[in-house]
Amino acid sequence: MAKIKKRTIQPDYIHNSVSVAVFINKVMKKGKKTTAEKIVYDAFDEIKKKNKEPLLVFEEALKNATPLVEVRPKRVGGATYQVPVPVERERALTLATRWIIDAARSKKGKGMAKKLAEEIMASAENTGKAIKKKEDTHRMAEANRAFARFNW
């Protein structure tokens, strides 16, 4: 059986960062990449207005929102257990970006760039909805630690 090759993503053209390019792709809806780029770069400009380095704040936000463990359902003899498993690096970054973007989208009122900038800054300071989601995931894994023996 042939192994599927992982697609390499080109870094974004302003910050030359692959993680920013991946973030832009996750913000994108219906193939409108230029709109997604404008939203992300406007959010970075909002962060810059607060006299902070946007790329450093973004990297810190991603690092803070990245989960270490998650629970996966495992069926053992008719019962389904929530088994805590460590999260692979790539999936952890995907979850962190998804949580940050979903938290920004769930806010009401302002434009998407402002909401995204607020959520990125909140995540960098270990607050906000994305961090709460990570903590809930960790709490659920901790509560189901007794079922870790089913992780095979």
Side-chain angles (χ1 to χ4, degrees):
M1 198 154 118
K3 184 101 170 134
I4 298 171
K5 286 185 181 174
K6 189 82 180 117
R7 192 170 55 90
T8 56
I9 295 175
Q10 298 299 315
D12 75 306
Y13 57 89
I14 291 182
H15 299 287
N16 200 30
S17 168
V18 175
S19 57
V20 173
V22 170
F23 195 77
I24 288 170
N25 288 344
K26 293 261 190 255
V27 170
M28 179 171 53
K29 282 187 170 181
K30 297 183 181 178
K32 299 193 174 199
K33 190 161 191 161
T34 52
T35 306
E37 285 173 344
K38 184 170 176 10
I39 289 169
V40 171
Y41 293 139
D42 286 352
F44 280 11
D45 289 342
E46 287 289 323
I47 294 169
K48 200 171 203 157
K49 285 179 187 174
K50 304 272 196 268
N51 292 327
K52 296 179 180 172
E53 184 57 43
L55 198 58
L56 295 176
V57 172
F58 172 72
E59 294 294 338
E60 185 68 23
L62 268 186
K63 190 179 77 142
N64 289 345
T66 302
L68 302 173
V69 289
E70 66 179 341
V71 290
R72 290 248 172 98
K74 187 90 169 183
R75 219 170 139 73
V76 178
T80 304
Y81 298 106
Q82 295 292 327
V83 179
V85 293
V87 184
E88 291 178 20
R89 185 185 178 302
E90 203 164 302
R91 175 160 168 75
L93 289 174
T94 301
L95 286 173
T97 55
R98 185 184 308 157
W99 292 343
I100 290 171
I101 292 166
D102 287 348
R105 283 187 180 141
S106 69
K107 292 182 180 181
K108 298 286 181 227
K110 310 165 205 128
M112 182 60 185
K114 276 195 190 295
K115 296 189 292 188
L116 192 59
E118 285 175 3
E119 190 57 40
I120 289 171
M121 286 191 291
S123 294
E125 295 164 3
N126 265 329
T127 57
K129 284 186 179 178
I131 300 298
K132 184 179 181 329
K133 181 87 169 161
K134 172 193 163 185
E135 289 170 353
D136 290 347
T137 304
H138 282 190
R139 203 172 298 118
M140 199 178 332
E142 181 65 29
N144 290 302
R145 196 174 66 196
F147 303 125
R149 66 180 185 271
F150 294 123
N151 186 17
W152 63 77

